[in-house]
Amino acid sequence: DIRLEVAGFQVFLNSKPLIQLSEERFTLLSLLVESSPCFVTEDAIVNRVYYADLSGEKSKAVSMLISRLKRDLGDTLAGRIQNQRGVGWAYVQPSPEETSTR
């Protein structure tokens, strides 16, 4: 029910434009959606989004980025981004029943 459009960093929900994200937040969401339902490690997020070594700041940088992405996505999609402590972050697709009730 979501579609990501690289041109303009647009997120669509049910074929309707939902939001335009910053490049780094769009890159993060793309990574999570591509990897779904698997969890993505902080290292993988940092490597894809920042292209830099953030050794000591890695957890803080990822937490801030996730927080901002969830804020941007709003109540409708924010809950789909989930964390498993020590494993990483994932985009969890809703069940077919959940999407049909919208």
Side-chain angles (χ1 to χ4, degrees):
D1 64 337
I2 72 163
R3 185 185 67 187
L4 305 178
E5 199 170 279
V6 177
F9 308 119
Q10 291 274 343
V11 179
F12 291 80
L13 179 62
N14 296 322
S15 301
K16 296 178 184 137
L18 178 68
I19 191 164
Q20 181 176 3
L21 297 171
S22 69
E23 182 177 1
E24 65 183 13
R25 292 177 204 158
F26 185 86
T27 302
L28 170 60
L29 182 59
S30 296
L31 174 62
L32 295 176
V33 169
E34 289 168 13
S35 303
S36 182
C38 298
F39 284 83
V40 180
T41 66
E42 286 183 347
D43 287 333
I45 292 170
V46 168
N47 289 338
R48 175 77 76 89
V49 175
Y50 295 110
Y51 309 105
D53 179 23
L54 302 175
S55 310
E57 300 293 316
K58 177 178 57 180
S59 290
K60 185 175 181 178
V62 170
S63 291
M64 290 297 294
L65 185 59
I66 292 282
S67 174
R68 289 179 180 138
L69 174 61
K70 290 176 89 170
R71 181 194 66 214
D72 288 349
L73 293 175
D75 296 338
T76 307
L77 295 178
R80 296 182 186 185
I81 298 178
Q82 299 179 8
N83 177 260
Q84 187 170 6
R85 189 177 209 110
V87 177
W89 293 90
Y91 176 84
V92 179
Q93 283 280 40
S95 69
E97 296 81 35
E98 290 176 294
T99 54
S100 67
T101 60
R102 290 191 189 151

